[in-house]
Amino acid sequence: MDKDHKLGFNSLAVHAGYHAKKGPVNPPIERSSTFVFDSCRDGADRFASPLKDGIYSRLHNSNCDALEKKIAALEGGYGGIATGSGMAAVETVYYAYLDPTSHIVATSALYGPCRSIVEKKEFYAKWGIRSTFLDTSDVNKVREAVEIPHTKLLYVETPANPTLAITDIKQMSIIAREANIPLVVDNTFCSPYLQNPIEFGADISLHSMTKSIGGHANAVGGMLIAKDEETYYYLRNIVTNRGGILSPDNADMFLSGVKTLGLRMERMQQNAITIAEYLNKHPKVEWVRFPGLEDHPQHDLVKEGRQMKGPGCMMTFGVKGGYDKATVLLDNLNLITLAVSLGGVESLIQHPASMTHAGVPEENRLQANISNDLVRISIGIENIEDLIADFDQAFAKI
Ligand SMILES: *Cc1c(COP(=O)(O)O)cnc(C)c1O
């Protein structure tokens, strides 16, 4: 192949990070906590190296290494750091950049625990860390909220969970640069297939790999992707020393899952577009929010692929008659599964106010536009006729 030929997303998903020339096609799972040194010189050299490979598996192992290189290639970052969960990735970033009495500006409709570990007394608030949670799709409000020099971190989730409000990453990066603070983007909802925050100026992109990267609801893990070498080693040192690492076994699960990420996202997105149109026309549905619909407030960031390469697989809607009627729908779906999590091959439906976001006080939920009637659905790869038939029979019970 021509040296200058650039591989496409699916080719990278299969081959980046580990491409065998002989022997097993997949990296063997390295179930060894420690590694033999050739000599004292070798041991000393390995401890002196920044990557700390070939020493001890909390510091480095070949399964996590292959996965980290693969995801970093998909995200266009300098390097990846695998973590034991998505929350371990999020918490690493908070720990890395927040000092006692400092301030964070973040999206108000964050994945529930990402917000509560900042606000709750038993977590970061106990060190006097202050926070401003706001709708980061409003660029001017974000600029006003950043307090130079107290604000130490700009943290964005886009599209936001579960409101699907979309934040302009490029605009956020301009604000972050003015304040000389890092911009971190939780890219879980889009996956690397639909959005690459580093390309738009983010310093760090992070994922709950539990969702679409793994894709099969069979492992929990997270990933930090740093834009440059300095950020990479700074975060890597924190993860390996604080201990929130991913196991080689789970790294292997994600290495398998991510190979089909592009194919799965295409199918899920196609299904989601059809379901959004179906719900939008349904007489028992009050409202639908989906980035692919014309009436989405930030539809322009999706339309021409300006930031997101497509609308994704997540949508929210309200049933006429509110929560009580919605429970009838949710309790009667057969194929579409009543469960939290998202981005996998199976369609999952849930009610954020009583489930994923129950830990966020109602006042904060409403301020973040998480209404009590809001139902969230993640569309999977099932046959579209079957998903519609399931909705038809469950709606008929209301
Ligand atoms: C699930 C999720 C997390 C947390 O990830 P875990 O793997 O469950 O720890 C963080 N952010 C978003 C957007 C998520 O959906």
Side-chain angles (χ1 to χ4, degrees), residues 68 81-86 88-89 92 207 209 220-224 239 244-246:
E68 290 166 345
I81 303 138
T83 56
S85 67
T92 296
H207 289 275
M209 296 195 294
V220 172
M223 183 68 75
L224 293 158
V239 170
I245 55 142
L246 187 70

Side-chain angles (χ1 to χ4, degrees), residues 85-87 90 111 114 157 161 186 188-189 208 210-211 220-221 342:
S85 67
M87 284 314 300
V90 173
Y111 179 76
C114 301
E157 187 175 312
N161 182 5
D186 184 334
T188 301
F189 263 42
S208 166
T210 316
K211 315 297 168 53
V220 172
L342 58 103

Side-chain angles (χ1 to χ4, degrees), residues 92-93 95-97 233-244:
T92 296
V93 161
Y95 180 84
Y97 297 106
Y233 282 111
Y234 177 58
L235 295 175
R236 181 163 200 98
N237 188 37
I238 290 175
V239 170
T240 56
N241 282 289
R242 293 179 79 224

Side-chain angles (χ1 to χ4, degrees), residues 78 228-235:
Y78 173 84
D228 59 24
E229 184 177 2
E230 187 186 346
T231 311
Y232 169 75
Y233 282 111
Y234 177 58
L235 295 175

